[in-house]
Amino acid sequence: MANGQWYPPEWPDRIRALADGTLTPVSPKRAATVLLLKDTEAGPAVHMLRRRASMAFAGGAYAYPGGGVDPRDDDTRIRWAGPPRATWARRLGVDEAGAQAIVCAAVRETYEEAGVLLAGPDPDAVVGDTTGDDWEADRAALVAREQSFAEFLHRRGLVLRSDLLGAWARWITPEFESRRYDTWFFAAVLPEGQRTRNASTEADRTVWIRPAEAAAGYDRGELLMMPPTIAALRELLPYGTAAEALAAAAARDLTPVQATARLRDGEIVLSWPGHEEFTKHVPSSSAPADATGGGRA
């Protein structure tokens, strides 16, 4: 039975071009995404959004709040709670300025796309309500990149709560993709008093869903997802509470996962190290998308 792996029809041609040396990979941009969790009577649930079908990239696929790093957040010092920047730098495999910017991106995107803000007036508090008109104006300015997240925190007198995040995984978009991202995945627990909403212009639906339920929907071919998305869902399955999942993040391996394409026995084999379920076999000569596993493979 076909599952819900999102597989763009242009991949085979781009894979072949990379294999024969006619495609030059673009450099990946830094990005962050957040597995926002909360407890339910049936166990932890994760917040997911469905990208609008009209989106050029992964239209109709389910994902987590996330997006690109704003380079303006590299150098501006902000009020910071939790592990120091040097600790985050070692954990994320970057320098201290980069670590701050990546963590800022995770917190900013969660606010932009879910209305949840992992920041507060002091190191032991979080904002209780972000639904007012003034908050919405600030959120819209962040989305439009009219202000950096560091500027937003400074003007609001807020402390970024890095202690509410746990680094979960790191995935790098394959070299044959036209849009490439080096993405750090984080886990976080929904702060008490805050609630999610569909604040993203890129999503037509948001849900709180148990990882097992979402994974089953993917396996039935009912929910489209990219490999990093479903991989994270499967990795959440062992945990009985949101706090347990967040605590487990500290021990997780952040070795980057990146798909590789190689020629073997007249076909191109596309594989993600450590994730055999995503392996694809692509004919080495041109073929219709249906024959190469395009679409909902």
Side-chain angles (χ1 to χ4, degrees):
M1 179 185 298
N3 60 29
Q5 184 174 341
W6 182 76
Y7 186 81
E10 67 271 16
W11 269 16
D13 287 339
R14 296 189 65 84
I15 292 169
R16 283 188 286 270
L18 180 67
D20 64 24
T22 59
L23 175 67
T24 301
V26 300
S27 297
K29 298 179 179 180
R30 298 173 299 168
T33 192
V34 177
L35 314 175
L36 186 62
L37 306 167
K38 73 173 183 179
D39 289 316
T40 71
E41 293 182 357
V46 61
H47 181 72
M48 302 189 76
L49 54 86
R50 185 176 66 187
R51 294 173 60 84
R52 293 185 184 278
S54 59
M55 296 295 293
F57 180 76
Y62 280 78
Y64 312 109
V69 169
D70 186 341
R72 293 176 294 179
D73 292 330
D74 281 76
D75 302 320
T76 305
R77 299 294 285 186
I78 62 174
R79 297 176 66 195
W80 185 276
R85 293 166 181 81
T87 300
W88 275 109
R90 289 191 296 271
R91 180 74 175 119
L92 301 179
V94 298
D95 60 20
E96 290 188 32
Q100 173 178 289
I102 292 164
V103 172
C104 276
V107 177
R108 187 198 72 240
E109 289 289 339
T110 305
Y111 179 47
E112 287 182 6
E113 298 194 341
V116 171
L117 183 57
L118 304 178
D122 61 63
D124 299 312
V126 292
V127 172
D129 184 9
T130 64
T131 59
D133 290 342
D134 57 336
W135 286 104
E136 179 57 26
D138 276 340
R139 193 194 66 80
L142 288 168
V143 172
R145 298 297 181 261
E146 294 171 355
Q147 65 176 334
S148 71
F149 194 63
E151 292 167 343
F152 161 76
L153 292 174
H154 178 73
R155 187 170 55 78
R156 284 275 184 177
L158 296 175
V159 181
L160 185 146
R161 294 290 306 276
S162 82
D163 55 319
L164 300 181
L165 289 168
W168 190 263
R170 182 180 178 183
W171 289 69
I172 301 177
T173 308
E175 289 185 331
F176 51 81
E177 269 282 21
S178 58
R179 298 180 181 181
R180 299 189 63 215
Y181 299 94
D182 185 352
T183 304
W184 285 262
F185 284 66
F186 295 85
V189 178
L190 180 69
E192 184 175 354
Q194 292 196 34
R195 63 180 186 271
T196 57
R197 57 194 175 90
N198 183 7
S200 173
T201 58
E202 299 180 354
D204 60 12
R205 183 189 184 201
T206 61
V207 295
W208 282 101
I209 188 169
R210 292 184 301 109
E213 181 183 352
Y218 168 89
D219 290 337
R220 292 192 299 266
E222 297 171 358
L223 301 182
L224 286 175
M225 298 180 202
M226 292 177 283
T229 307
I230 179 60
L233 285 172
R234 298 204 197 283
E235 292 160 354
L236 288 170
L237 293 177
Y239 304 106
T241 67
E244 287 178 8
L246 179 59
R252 289 194 48 84
D253 183 6
L254 293 190
T255 301
V257 178
Q258 180 175 325
T260 60
R262 66 187 187 279
L263 287 169
R264 188 179 69 186
D265 299 330
E267 65 180 3
I268 298 169
V269 180
L270 176 63
S271 61
W272 281 258
H275 299 272
E276 296 305 316
E277 72 166 298
F278 306 130
T279 299
K280 292 290 181 183
H281 297 263
V282 181
S284 58
S285 58
S286 296
D290 289 344
T292 60
R296 296 177 62 171

